[in-house]
């Protein structure tokens, strides 16, 4: 049981560390959102830099990541 707890903890940490704003910014727009706007890699800065659609996509992916 301890192994499963540690495995779940490690997987949760790794999933939580996925920067969807950076991935979407670089993959679809060729822009690193951490180097534009406020410099924050969050949905709000993504919306400012890349637009509403990209910001909403990051928001949905971040919420899904948190729910997982």
């Amino acid at each position: 049981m301890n192994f499963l707890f540690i495995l779940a903890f490690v997987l949760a940490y790794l999933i939580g560390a996925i920067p969807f704003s950076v991935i979407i910014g670089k993959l679809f727009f060729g822009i690193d959102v951490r180097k534009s706007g406020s410099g924050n890699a969050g949905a709000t800065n993504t919306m400012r830099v890349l637009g509403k659609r990209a910001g909403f996509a990051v928001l949905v992916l971040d919420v899904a990541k948190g729910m997982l």
Side-chain angles (χ1 to χ4, degrees), residues 25-56:
K26 286 190 174 188
L27 189 64
F28 295 107
F29 298 92
I31 296 173
D32 187 350
V33 295
R34 298 171 297 181
K35 296 181 180 176
S36 301
S38 68
N40 186 356
T44 303
N45 192 43
T46 302
M47 187 175 2
R48 283 187 204 121
V49 175
L50 304 177
K52 290 181 182 179
R53 293 179 79 183
F56 185 71

Side-chain angles (χ1 to χ4, degrees), residues 18-26 31 33 40-43 46 50 58 62:
I18 299 171
F20 285 116
S21 60
V22 176
I23 293 170
I24 288 176
K26 286 190 174 188
I31 296 173
V33 295
N40 186 356
T46 302
L50 304 177
V58 170
D62 282 347

Side-chain angles (χ1 to χ4, degrees), residues 2 5-6 8 10-11 15 17 20 33 42-43 55 58 60 63-64:
N2 287 336
F5 179 75
I6 293 170
V10 170
L11 286 175
I15 290 168
F20 285 116
V33 295
V58 170
V60 168
V63 168

Side-chain angles (χ1 to χ4, degrees), residues 1-16 68:
M1 184 82 82
N2 287 336
F3 175 74
L4 292 177
F5 179 75
I6 293 170
L7 180 64
F9 184 80
V10 170
L11 286 175
Y13 178 80
L14 292 174
I15 290 168
L68 181 64

